[in-house]
Amino acid sequence: MTTAQHILTGGTILTMDPAQPTAEAVALAEGRILAVGRQADILALAGPNTLREDLRGNTLLPGLIESHTHALWGACRDLYQVYVGYQASLSQLAQAIAARAATLAPGIWITGGPWRLDMQDSLPDTPRAWLDAIAPAHPVAIADTTQHAMWCNSVALAQAGLADGCAPIPGGVVGQEGPEGRLTGFLAEAACGPVRAQTRFTPAQLDAACAQAVRYFNSLGYTGFKEPSAQAEDLGAYARAYDRGALSLHAAAHIAAFSPLSGSTMPLAEIDALVARFGRTGLNLRFTKLFLDGVAPALTASFLAPYLPRPGYDPAHHSPDATLLLPPEQLNQLVTAHDAAGYTVKMHAVGDNAARRGLDAIAAARQANGPAGPRHEIAHSTFIDDADLPRFAALNAVAEVSPKLWMPNAATAAQRAVLGQARLSQVHRIRSLLQAGAEVIFGTDWPAAAPDANPWSGLAGMISRADPSGVFPGQVAPDQAISLAQALPLFTRNAARAMGLEGETGMLRAGLSADFIIVPGTLTEMSTADIAATLPVRTVFKGAAVFEG
């Protein structure tokens, strides 16, 4: 009989194991879970050197897994960019940009943000003119809250090779005005690509960002995450961290096979080469990413029904497929090919038509390759039509719900302005997806549309559909609220399975990796406000404490 090195008793233990949902004690040995069960049985595994720990009424549960977070991007935002938060005013944004310009030599890029859709009505002139007045000697590119659109000044546009009267960019929106096509400084989707190409971070910066992200995630209770859209430089940073022994998280990454920034698809041979170069035992790269549409506030999400009337948009001419970034035939071919090669495809889909087309592509792959292929994911699953709810289970597809917009927040008004209240009542249908038998996972999408990667406010929002901080009143689609017991698997065992780690983590079960967190108090008795304010007192990865609060 193996002797336990560490036994924990005296608290609430939530195992996430359907066969044994709760337990009185947990025993650990050699970085793995030795046993879970009744206190008397577990204490029988103790030896003279066993550490016996009293949880003092706190809650122990599996470490959380973040299924959609741009970890390096978010950490780079905090380390290197202007960031004013999602509730800042236009004047506060201007002050932050001016303050950064005062510290930099002329010609150095200023990036960050964010700006919101409602700010556009407050601009005294075009975004270009406004930024030119604030920082005329620096290239400035400020992203919106969704990270799908930008405001740029004249220097930034010039350095990106964009000039007045330039031709349209396929898959993108270039703001222009007047007969000469003067650039307004507004860019969206693929049109942001030339600017982003000018603002890449160095390997040293990415290494620092990776270290920052790992510390941040561990402090929130994460013991695993999936990067949803990785480039080669991102994969290099994660691989270097793993090789240094500094990646205290189970990690996986979806390689960006097509994005609006690239405008082209990455051949499978190139994807295979990246996997061979950067894949590690603890860094699973058998995942790819495709973008199907954009976001609702920019009118680039693909919906079955029209948007509300707006200047420059006529609902009478609405075409659901017009905003798709990949034609359905090409999408079907790509997903079928990736499926045959063993890659799990995550498809960005905000509009209900984009989600439908993504499910159609999974259906095409199942028909061509058989039903036993990878469990592909519809990312965000923001709007799902009734007819498509049961298709997730039928196709063995995964519904990823993100970002944290299932509760009122800074972006709610922008969504309501373009979609209307009736359609907003059908957003983030987590309850309906679960009732339809879909397997659902959680992601924040930090820092795109989510100001932080905090899972606890996201968990509280799922339960209440209200802003636990009280800053934004009301609820969003309150009939889609779910219980704590329904929500926790999205963060644990479902997420582990989506990472390819079923049988390794995501539950407290004998033989699995000792990945768990301890949170203060009894989680099952907390109010949603208390859940939102929760932070772990300890995060344990493979039996070692990686965060102590």
Side-chain angles (χ1 to χ4, degrees), residues 232-258:
E233 55 265 35
D234 305 319
L235 301 177
Y238 291 135
R240 290 191 297 273
Y242 180 83
D243 293 343
R244 293 194 303 270
L247 198 59
S248 53
L249 298 146
H250 297 286
H254 289 262
I255 296 171
F258 171 81

PDB file of all heavy atoms in Angstrom, residues 232-258:
ATOM      1  N   ALA A 232       3.537  31.714 -34.470  1.00  0.00           N
ATOM      2  CA  ALA A 232       4.799  31.035 -34.170  1.00  0.00           C
ATOM      3  C   ALA A 232       5.514  31.683 -32.991  1.00  0.00           C
ATOM      4  O   ALA A 232       6.081  30.975 -32.130  1.00  0.00           O
ATOM      5  CB  ALA A 232       5.697  31.035 -35.409  1.00  0.00           C
ATOM      6  N   GLU A 233       5.505  33.024 -32.915  1.00  0.00           N
ATOM      7  CA  GLU A 233       6.223  33.680 -31.824  1.00  0.00           C
ATOM      8  C   GLU A 233       5.584  33.362 -30.464  1.00  0.00           C
ATOM      9  O   GLU A 233       6.275  33.272 -29.450  1.00  0.00           O
ATOM     10  CB  GLU A 233       6.291  35.198 -32.045  1.00  0.00           C
ATOM     11  CG  GLU A 233       4.957  35.874 -32.260  1.00  0.00           C
ATOM     12  CD  GLU A 233       4.610  36.052 -33.736  1.00  0.00           C
ATOM     13  OE1 GLU A 233       4.951  35.181 -34.549  1.00  0.00           O
ATOM     14  OE2 GLU A 233       3.987  37.084 -34.058  1.00  0.00           O
ATOM     15  N   ASP A 234       4.246  33.199 -30.436  1.00  0.00           N
ATOM     16  CA  ASP A 234       3.575  32.824 -29.196  1.00  0.00           C
ATOM     17  C   ASP A 234       3.976  31.414 -28.772  1.00  0.00           C
ATOM     18  O   ASP A 234       4.279  31.155 -27.602  1.00  0.00           O
ATOM     19  CB  ASP A 234       2.061  32.882 -29.373  1.00  0.00           C
ATOM     20  CG  ASP A 234       1.562  34.215 -29.874  1.00  0.00           C
ATOM     21  OD1 ASP A 234       2.082  35.247 -29.402  1.00  0.00           O
ATOM     22  OD2 ASP A 234       0.686  34.230 -30.751  1.00  0.00           O
ATOM     23  N   LEU A 235       3.967  30.503 -29.741  1.00  0.00           N
ATOM     24  CA  LEU A 235       4.332  29.119 -29.448  1.00  0.00           C
ATOM     25  C   LEU A 235       5.759  29.040 -28.925  1.00  0.00           C
ATOM     26  O   LEU A 235       6.059  28.265 -28.004  1.00  0.00           O
ATOM     27  CB  LEU A 235       4.185  28.267 -30.701  1.00  0.00           C
ATOM     28  CG  LEU A 235       2.783  28.215 -31.338  1.00  0.00           C
ATOM     29  CD1 LEU A 235       2.814  27.382 -32.611  1.00  0.00           C
ATOM     30  CD2 LEU A 235       1.763  27.657 -30.360  1.00  0.00           C
ATOM     31  N   GLY A 236       6.644  29.855 -29.490  1.00  0.00           N
ATOM     32  CA  GLY A 236       8.019  29.872 -29.025  1.00  0.00           C
ATOM     33  C   GLY A 236       8.132  30.296 -27.568  1.00  0.00           C
ATOM     34  O   GLY A 236       8.897  29.719 -26.792  1.00  0.00           O
ATOM     35  N   ALA A 237       7.353  31.300 -27.185  1.00  0.00           N
ATOM     36  CA  ALA A 237       7.397  31.777 -25.795  1.00  0.00           C
ATOM     37  C   ALA A 237       6.885  30.702 -24.841  1.00  0.00           C
ATOM     38  O   ALA A 237       7.471  30.467 -23.770  1.00  0.00           O
ATOM     39  CB  ALA A 237       6.569  33.052 -25.657  1.00  0.00           C
ATOM     40  N   TYR A 238       5.800  30.028 -25.216  1.00  0.00           N
ATOM     41  CA  TYR A 238       5.263  28.972 -24.350  1.00  0.00           C
ATOM     42  C   TYR A 238       6.248  27.803 -24.255  1.00  0.00           C
ATOM     43  O   TYR A 238       6.451  27.236 -23.177  1.00  0.00           O
ATOM     44  CB  TYR A 238       3.920  28.479 -24.885  1.00  0.00           C
ATOM     45  CG  TYR A 238       2.793  29.479 -24.776  1.00  0.00           C
ATOM     46  CD1 TYR A 238       1.920  29.702 -25.843  1.00  0.00           C
ATOM     47  CD2 TYR A 238       2.586  30.207 -23.611  1.00  0.00           C
ATOM     48  CE1 TYR A 238       0.882  30.607 -25.752  1.00  0.00           C
ATOM     49  CE2 TYR A 238       1.557  31.129 -23.511  1.00  0.00           C
ATOM     50  CZ  TYR A 238       0.695  31.319 -24.599  1.00  0.00           C
ATOM     51  OH  TYR A 238      -0.329  32.227 -24.491  1.00  0.00           O
ATOM     52  N   ALA A 239       6.858  27.438 -25.391  1.00  0.00           N
ATOM     53  CA  ALA A 239       7.814  26.326 -25.382  1.00  0.00           C
ATOM     54  C   ALA A 239       9.033  26.659 -24.528  1.00  0.00           C
ATOM     55  O   ALA A 239       9.535  25.801 -23.775  1.00  0.00           O
ATOM     56  CB  ALA A 239       8.228  25.983 -26.811  1.00  0.00           C
ATOM     57  N   ARG A 240       9.518  27.887 -24.622  1.00  0.00           N
ATOM     58  CA  ARG A 240      10.679  28.281 -23.806  1.00  0.00           C
ATOM     59  C   ARG A 240      10.330  28.236 -22.315  1.00  0.00           C
ATOM     60  O   ARG A 240      11.142  27.808 -21.485  1.00  0.00           O
ATOM     61  CB  ARG A 240      11.168  29.669 -24.215  1.00  0.00           C
ATOM     62  CG  ARG A 240      11.822  29.722 -25.590  1.00  0.00           C
ATOM     63  CD  ARG A 240      12.518  31.051 -25.835  1.00  0.00           C
ATOM     64  NE  ARG A 240      11.621  32.190 -25.852  1.00  0.00           N
ATOM     65  CZ  ARG A 240      10.971  32.631 -26.935  1.00  0.00           C
ATOM     66  NH1 ARG A 240      11.123  31.994 -28.102  1.00  0.00           N
ATOM     67  NH2 ARG A 240      10.195  33.697 -26.867  1.00  0.00           N
ATOM     68  N   ALA A 241       9.116  28.676 -21.980  1.00  0.00           N
ATOM     69  CA  ALA A 241       8.700  28.633 -20.579  1.00  0.00           C
ATOM     70  C   ALA A 241       8.616  27.193 -20.086  1.00  0.00           C
ATOM     71  O   ALA A 241       9.049  26.878 -18.969  1.00  0.00           O
ATOM     72  CB  ALA A 241       7.358  29.333 -20.407  1.00  0.00           C
ATOM     73  N   TYR A 242       8.087  26.310 -20.914  1.00  0.00           N
ATOM     74  CA  TYR A 242       8.000  24.902 -20.521  1.00  0.00           C
ATOM     75  C   TYR A 242       9.399  24.310 -20.329  1.00  0.00           C
ATOM     76  O   TYR A 242       9.653  23.600 -19.348  1.00  0.00           O
ATOM     77  CB  TYR A 242       7.231  24.110 -21.576  1.00  0.00           C
ATOM     78  CG  TYR A 242       7.090  22.637 -21.235  1.00  0.00           C
ATOM     79  CD1 TYR A 242       6.081  22.208 -20.384  1.00  0.00           C
ATOM     80  CD2 TYR A 242       7.986  21.701 -21.730  1.00  0.00           C
ATOM     81  CE1 TYR A 242       5.961  20.870 -20.041  1.00  0.00           C
ATOM     82  CE2 TYR A 242       7.872  20.361 -21.394  1.00  0.00           C
ATOM     83  CZ  TYR A 242       6.861  19.953 -20.544  1.00  0.00           C
ATOM     84  OH  TYR A 242       6.752  18.630 -20.209  1.00  0.00           O
ATOM     85  N   ASP A 243      10.291  24.621 -21.247  1.00  0.00           N
ATOM     86  CA  ASP A 243      11.650  24.084 -21.158  1.00  0.00           C
ATOM     87  C   ASP A 243      12.380  24.587 -19.914  1.00  0.00           C
ATOM     88  O   ASP A 243      13.256  23.894 -19.377  1.00  0.00           O
ATOM     89  CB  ASP A 243      12.449  24.441 -22.416  1.00  0.00           C
ATOM     90  CG  ASP A 243      11.930  23.739 -23.665  1.00  0.00           C
ATOM     91  OD1 ASP A 243      11.177  22.754 -23.531  1.00  0.00           O
ATOM     92  OD2 ASP A 243      12.263  24.193 -24.779  1.00  0.00           O
ATOM     93  N   ARG A 244      12.043  25.775 -19.446  1.00  0.00           N
ATOM     94  CA  ARG A 244      12.654  26.327 -18.229  1.00  0.00           C
ATOM     95  C   ARG A 244      11.998  25.789 -16.960  1.00  0.00           C
ATOM     96  O   ARG A 244      12.431  26.094 -15.856  1.00  0.00           O
ATOM     97  CB  ARG A 244      12.536  27.862 -18.211  1.00  0.00           C
ATOM     98  CG  ARG A 244      13.342  28.596 -19.269  1.00  0.00           C
ATOM     99  CD  ARG A 244      13.419  30.087 -18.946  1.00  0.00           C
ATOM    100  NE  ARG A 244      12.103  30.694 -18.818  1.00  0.00           N
ATOM    101  CZ  ARG A 244      11.413  31.243 -19.803  1.00  0.00           C
ATOM    102  NH1 ARG A 244      11.914  31.246 -21.039  1.00  0.00           N
ATOM    103  NH2 ARG A 244      10.227  31.782 -19.593  1.00  0.00           N
ATOM    104  N   GLY A 245      10.918  25.015 -17.137  1.00  0.00           N
ATOM    105  CA  GLY A 245      10.176  24.552 -15.968  1.00  0.00           C
ATOM    106  C   GLY A 245       9.327  25.636 -15.351  1.00  0.00           C
ATOM    107  O   GLY A 245       8.976  25.571 -14.173  1.00  0.00           O
ATOM    108  N   ALA A 246       8.983  26.652 -16.151  1.00  0.00           N
ATOM    109  CA  ALA A 246       8.261  27.816 -15.638  1.00  0.00           C
ATOM    110  C   ALA A 246       6.805  27.863 -16.079  1.00  0.00           C
ATOM    111  O   ALA A 246       6.141  28.879 -15.885  1.00  0.00           O
ATOM    112  CB  ALA A 246       8.967  29.099 -16.100  1.00  0.00           C
ATOM    113  N   LEU A 247       6.294  26.782 -16.661  1.00  0.00           N
ATOM    114  CA  LEU A 247       4.911  26.753 -17.125  1.00  0.00           C
ATOM    115  C   LEU A 247       4.106  25.889 -16.153  1.00  0.00           C
ATOM    116  O   LEU A 247       3.876  24.708 -16.391  1.00  0.00           O
ATOM    117  CB  LEU A 247       4.844  26.193 -18.545  1.00  0.00           C
ATOM    118  CG  LEU A 247       3.572  26.470 -19.360  1.00  0.00           C
ATOM    119  CD1 LEU A 247       3.345  27.966 -19.514  1.00  0.00           C
ATOM    120  CD2 LEU A 247       3.664  25.820 -20.731  1.00  0.00           C
ATOM    121  N   SER A 248       3.704  26.486 -15.036  1.00  0.00           N
ATOM    122  CA  SER A 248       3.005  25.746 -13.986  1.00  0.00           C
ATOM    123  C   SER A 248       1.512  25.668 -14.276  1.00  0.00           C
ATOM    124  O   SER A 248       0.667  25.979 -13.436  1.00  0.00           O
ATOM    125  CB  SER A 248       3.267  26.388 -12.620  1.00  0.00           C
ATOM    126  OG  SER A 248       2.956  27.769 -12.644  1.00  0.00           O
ATOM    127  N   LEU A 249       1.209  25.244 -15.486  1.00  0.00           N
ATOM    128  CA  LEU A 249      -0.161  25.068 -15.973  1.00  0.00           C
ATOM    129  C   LEU A 249      -0.142  23.995 -17.052  1.00  0.00           C
ATOM    130  O   LEU A 249       0.814  23.912 -17.824  1.00  0.00           O
ATOM    131  CB  LEU A 249      -0.698  26.362 -16.616  1.00  0.00           C
ATOM    132  CG  LEU A 249      -0.843  27.620 -15.776  1.00  0.00           C
ATOM    133  CD1 LEU A 249      -0.548  28.832 -16.640  1.00  0.00           C
ATOM    134  CD2 LEU A 249      -2.263  27.717 -15.224  1.00  0.00           C
ATOM    135  N   HIS A 250      -1.186  23.189 -17.136  1.00  0.00           N
ATOM    136  CA  HIS A 250      -1.385  22.386 -18.332  1.00  0.00           C
ATOM    137  C   HIS A 250      -1.692  23.374 -19.464  1.00  0.00           C
ATOM    138  O   HIS A 250      -2.546  24.253 -19.303  1.00  0.00           O
ATOM    139  CB  HIS A 250      -2.560  21.427 -18.153  1.00  0.00           C
ATOM    140  CG  HIS A 250      -2.360  20.425 -17.059  1.00  0.00           C
ATOM    141  ND1 HIS A 250      -1.512  19.354 -17.177  1.00  0.00           N
ATOM    142  CD2 HIS A 250      -2.914  20.335 -15.812  1.00  0.00           C
ATOM    143  CE1 HIS A 250      -1.542  18.632 -16.071  1.00  0.00           C
ATOM    144  NE2 HIS A 250      -2.377  19.213 -15.220  1.00  0.00           N
ATOM    145  N   ALA A 251      -1.014  23.252 -20.582  1.00  0.00           N
ATOM    146  CA  ALA A 251      -1.154  24.247 -21.639  1.00  0.00           C
ATOM    147  C   ALA A 251      -1.454  23.595 -22.975  1.00  0.00           C
ATOM    148  O   ALA A 251      -0.974  22.499 -23.276  1.00  0.00           O
ATOM    149  CB  ALA A 251       0.110  25.095 -21.745  1.00  0.00           C
ATOM    150  N   ALA A 252      -2.248  24.281 -23.762  1.00  0.00           N
ATOM    151  CA  ALA A 252      -2.536  23.878 -25.140  1.00  0.00           C
ATOM    152  C   ALA A 252      -2.730  25.153 -25.945  1.00  0.00           C
ATOM    153  O   ALA A 252      -3.007  26.222 -25.389  1.00  0.00           O
ATOM    154  CB  ALA A 252      -3.782  22.998 -25.214  1.00  0.00           C
ATOM    155  N   ALA A 253      -2.563  25.042 -27.244  1.00  0.00           N
ATOM    156  CA  ALA A 253      -2.708  26.222 -28.098  1.00  0.00           C
ATOM    157  C   ALA A 253      -3.312  25.831 -29.431  1.00  0.00           C
ATOM    158  O   ALA A 253      -2.907  24.836 -30.040  1.00  0.00           O
ATOM    159  CB  ALA A 253      -1.363  26.911 -28.311  1.00  0.00           C
ATOM    160  N   HIS A 254      -4.287  26.628 -29.861  1.00  0.00           N
ATOM    161  CA  HIS A 254      -4.850  26.510 -31.198  1.00  0.00           C
ATOM    162  C   HIS A 254      -3.993  27.352 -32.142  1.00  0.00           C
ATOM    163  O   HIS A 254      -3.880  28.569 -31.975  1.00  0.00           O
ATOM    164  CB  HIS A 254      -6.289  27.018 -31.227  1.00  0.00           C
ATOM    165  CG  HIS A 254      -7.279  26.136 -30.529  1.00  0.00           C
ATOM    166  ND1 HIS A 254      -8.068  25.239 -31.189  1.00  0.00           N
ATOM    167  CD2 HIS A 254      -7.587  26.017 -29.220  1.00  0.00           C
ATOM    168  CE1 HIS A 254      -8.842  24.601 -30.330  1.00  0.00           C
ATOM    169  NE2 HIS A 254      -8.571  25.063 -29.117  1.00  0.00           N
ATOM    170  N   ILE A 255      -3.391  26.724 -33.114  1.00  0.00           N
ATOM    171  CA  ILE A 255      -2.560  27.438 -34.086  1.00  0.00           C
ATOM    172  C   ILE A 255      -3.475  28.181 -35.060  1.00  0.00           C
ATOM    173  O   ILE A 255      -4.432  27.615 -35.596  1.00  0.00           O
ATOM    174  CB  ILE A 255      -1.649  26.458 -34.834  1.00  0.00           C
ATOM    175  CG1 ILE A 255      -0.678  25.807 -33.849  1.00  0.00           C
ATOM    176  CG2 ILE A 255      -0.883  27.157 -35.951  1.00  0.00           C
ATOM    177  CD1 ILE A 255       0.130  24.675 -34.433  1.00  0.00           C
ATOM    178  N   ALA A 256      -3.200  29.464 -35.259  1.00  0.00           N
ATOM    179  CA  ALA A 256      -4.060  30.301 -36.109  1.00  0.00           C
ATOM    180  C   ALA A 256      -3.906  29.886 -37.569  1.00  0.00           C
ATOM    181  O   ALA A 256      -2.976  30.311 -38.261  1.00  0.00           O
ATOM    182  CB  ALA A 256      -3.698  31.767 -35.933  1.00  0.00           C
ATOM    183  N   ALA A 257      -4.827  29.058 -38.036  1.00  0.00           N
ATOM    184  CA  ALA A 257      -4.788  28.593 -39.420  1.00  0.00           C
ATOM    185  C   ALA A 257      -5.408  29.598 -40.374  1.00  0.00           C
ATOM    186  O   ALA A 257      -5.058  29.647 -41.553  1.00  0.00           O
ATOM    187  CB  ALA A 257      -5.512  27.252 -39.539  1.00  0.00           C
ATOM    188  N   PHE A 258      -6.354  30.393 -39.870  1.00  0.00           N
ATOM    189  CA  PHE A 258      -6.908  31.492 -40.663  1.00  0.00           C
ATOM    190  C   PHE A 258      -7.455  32.542 -39.711  1.00  0.00           C
ATOM    191  O   PHE A 258      -8.220  32.237 -38.796  1.00  0.00           O
ATOM    192  CB  PHE A 258      -8.036  31.038 -41.582  1.00  0.00           C
ATOM    193  CG  PHE A 258      -8.741  32.207 -42.240  1.00  0.00           C
ATOM    194  CD1 PHE A 258      -8.189  32.816 -43.352  1.00  0.00           C
ATOM    195  CD2 PHE A 258      -9.915  32.725 -41.720  1.00  0.00           C
ATOM    196  CE1 PHE A 258      -8.806  33.930 -43.950  1.00  0.00           C
ATOM    197  CE2 PHE A 258     -10.543  33.826 -42.292  1.00  0.00           C
ATOM    198  CZ  PHE A 258      -9.983  34.422 -43.412  1.00  0.00           C
TER     199      PHE A 258
END
